[in-house]
């Protein structure tokens, strides 16, 4: 199966349809008046669909097991066509479009099975997805200008050339995948005055200023102390989201002192310096965090 461990939970919705076409009006009358020998077709088919949607992963190899938190089945009869409208909702990492189509398919097959003794020319057609919501396509942030970022690696050892930077490069790669231009990348020593100087200078021309490193518990880790006094406002929700995301994957994430806040029109982030910490922090809040720039544009910071 596709790896979805890096994704975040969002409300996912999908609606699918299928059509059962019978060959005569007598079949429709039998369905509507509950005269089919095998029982109530609409209710039996609905029940089959409800069972099926919860077990889609047992039929479709690449589908993930997921919690089905809402399902509805509706019917529309037009002429000799019985249209099935199947809706599914969940709060999870991946969508439910296949689940919705699977449910609609099983409803249609159940109807076929129940109606075949009285109608030998039934057809099933038009099994398709009507709409889906909740994935990346539902949370796109479009800007009339390129979002620019400055990325700083805070590390005395990397600055001295004793180690190679990995976390900063990961952040740059992630930003590029989200359409954010890294206008500046630099390795700096983990010193309070330098961090403050870089923040103030680059927040004037960049929408994003990201630091990686210096957020641990060592006396040398001073990034939070450097940023806190100069930020105009903190955004605890971003900090909490990053920590919670990391904590679900690595128990030591609770020790990270991630910082997120606003300076002017820029979002300033201080992320962990470890390779996995930087990657997971970016996965936790991007690209959704860029919605902050819509809020900041011409608005007071209190709206955050």
């Amino acid at each position: 199966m596709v790896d979805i461990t890096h994704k975040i939970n969002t409300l996912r919705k999908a609606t699918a349809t299928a059509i059962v076409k019978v060959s005569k009006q007598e079949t429709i009358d039998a369905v509507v008046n509950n005269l089919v020998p095998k029982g109530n077709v609409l209710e039996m088919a609905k029940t089959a669909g409800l069972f099926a949607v919860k077990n889609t992963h047992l039929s479709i190899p690449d589908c993930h097991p997921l919690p089905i938190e809402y399902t509805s089945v509706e019917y529309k009869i037009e002429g000799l066509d019985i249209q099935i409208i199947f809706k599914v909702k969940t709060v999870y990492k991946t969508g439910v479009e296949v689940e919705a189509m699977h449910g609609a398919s099983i409803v249609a097959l159940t109807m076929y099975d129940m109606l075949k003794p009285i109608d030998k020319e039934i057809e099933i057609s038009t099994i398709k997805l009507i709409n889906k919501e909740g994935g990346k396509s539902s949370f796109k942030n479009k800007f009339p200008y390129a979002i620019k970022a400055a990325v700083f690696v805070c590390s005395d050892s990397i600055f001295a050339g004793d180690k190679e930077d990995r976390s900063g490069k990961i952040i740059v790669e992630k930003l590029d995948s989200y359409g954010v231009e890294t206008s500046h990348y630099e390795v700096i020593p983990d010193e309070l005055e330098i961090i403050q100087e870089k923040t103030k200078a680059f927040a004037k021309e960049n929408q994003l200023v990201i630091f990686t490193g210096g957020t641990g518990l060592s006396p040398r880790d001073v990034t939070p102390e450097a940023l806190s006094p100069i930020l105009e406002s903190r955004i605890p929700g971003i900090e909490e989201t990053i920590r919670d995301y990391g904590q679900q994957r690595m128990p030591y994430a609770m020790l990270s002192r991630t910082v997120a806040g606003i300076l002017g029109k820029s979002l300033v982030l201080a992320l962990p310096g470890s390779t996995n910490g930087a990657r997971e922090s970016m996965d936790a809040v991007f690209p959704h965090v860029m919605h902050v720039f819509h809020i900041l544009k011409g608005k007071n910071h209190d709206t955050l």
Side-chain angles (χ1 to χ4, degrees):
M1 294 188 292
V2 174
D3 185 1
I4 61 171
T5 56
H6 64 287
K7 292 188 175 183
I8 62 172
N9 287 357
T10 57
L11 174 61
R12 310 279 186 149
K13 305 177 186 179
T15 301
T17 187
I19 294 177
V20 174
K21 186 177 182 65
V22 303
S23 65
K24 52 190 177 182
Q25 183 60 40
E26 288 81 358
T27 304
I28 294 295
D29 294 340
V31 170
V32 172
N33 296 313
N34 194 18
L35 297 175
V36 177
K38 284 193 172 185
N40 190 313
V41 174
L42 300 182
E43 288 302 316
M44 288 286 286
K46 176 180 179 180
T47 301
L50 297 180
F51 277 118
V53 71
K54 290 183 284 188
N55 292 286
T56 301
H57 65 284
L58 299 179
S59 301
I60 313 298
D62 208 36
C63 280
H64 297 80
L66 50 79
I68 300 298
E69 297 176 329
Y70 173 79
T71 300
S72 73
V73 181
E74 299 175 4
Y75 301 103
K76 289 183 180 179
I77 298 177
E78 297 180 354
L80 299 181
D81 291 348
I82 304 174
Q83 183 183 18
I84 301 156
I85 302 99
F86 204 102
K87 298 180 180 179
V88 182
K89 294 182 186 180
T90 189
V91 177
Y92 199 59
K93 301 175 183 180
T94 188
V96 288
E97 55 267 34
V98 174
E99 284 73 11
M101 287 189 286
H102 181 227
S105 301
I106 296 301
V107 172
L109 284 170
T110 303
M111 295 179 72
Y112 175 90
D113 179 66
M114 295 185 73
L115 293 174
K116 66 182 180 181
I118 63 172
D119 193 331
K120 303 299 183 182
E121 299 181 18
I122 298 172
E123 297 180 5
I124 296 174
S125 65
T126 322
I127 299 171
K128 66 178 182 179
L129 181 70
I130 300 300
N131 62 64
K132 66 172 184 174
E133 300 176 34
K136 284 185 178 180
S137 59
S138 297
F139 297 100
K140 287 185 177 180
N141 285 289
K142 297 181 179 180
F143 301 94
Y145 51 86
I147 299 294
K148 294 185 177 182
V151 177
F152 295 95
V153 180
C154 301
S155 172
D156 293 334
S157 57
I158 296 176
F159 182 76
D162 299 330
K163 294 182 179 180
E164 180 183 353
D165 168 50
R166 294 183 180 179
S167 60
K169 292 177 181 178
I170 285 174
I171 290 172
V172 171
E173 290 175 4
K174 289 282 188 181
L175 290 173
D176 182 65
S177 71
Y178 302 132
V180 177
E181 175 188 343
T182 301
S183 62
H184 186 83
Y185 164 83
E186 184 179 357
V187 177
I188 61 175
D190 196 1
E191 296 182 11
L192 188 146
E193 293 81 6
I194 295 177
I195 294 170
Q196 290 183 338
E197 175 188 332
K198 296 293 184 181
T199 305
K200 293 175 182 177
F202 283 86
K204 296 177 181 178
E205 298 181 0
N206 295 269
Q207 288 80 27
L208 272 166
V209 180
I210 302 179
F211 293 89
T212 176
T215 61
L217 300 178
S218 167
R220 291 294 301 165
D221 294 326
V222 299
T223 305
E225 285 77 14
L227 295 178
S228 295
I230 64 174
L231 293 176
E232 296 168 1
S233 60
R234 295 280 287 269
I235 311 179
I238 297 176
E239 300 171 2
E240 294 161 5
T241 298
I242 291 173
R243 259 188 294 274
D244 179 68
Y245 184 96
Q247 184 69 21
Q248 293 179 40
R249 291 155 177 81
M250 162 58 71
Y252 303 148
M254 62 184 173
L255 303 176
S256 176
R257 298 184 297 151
T258 300
V259 176
I262 300 298
L263 181 59
K265 295 292 184 180
S266 294
L267 173 63
V268 180
L269 301 175
L271 308 180
S274 68
T275 303
N276 284 337
R279 179 185 293 109
E280 291 173 358
S281 297
M282 295 293 289
D283 288 338
V285 296
F286 279 86
H288 311 98
V289 75
M290 291 195 290
H291 183 66
V292 72
F293 301 121
H294 289 305
I295 299 174
L296 287 176
K297 187 178 181 182
K299 295 186 178 181
N300 188 285
H301 296 171
D302 291 340
T303 57
L304 296 172

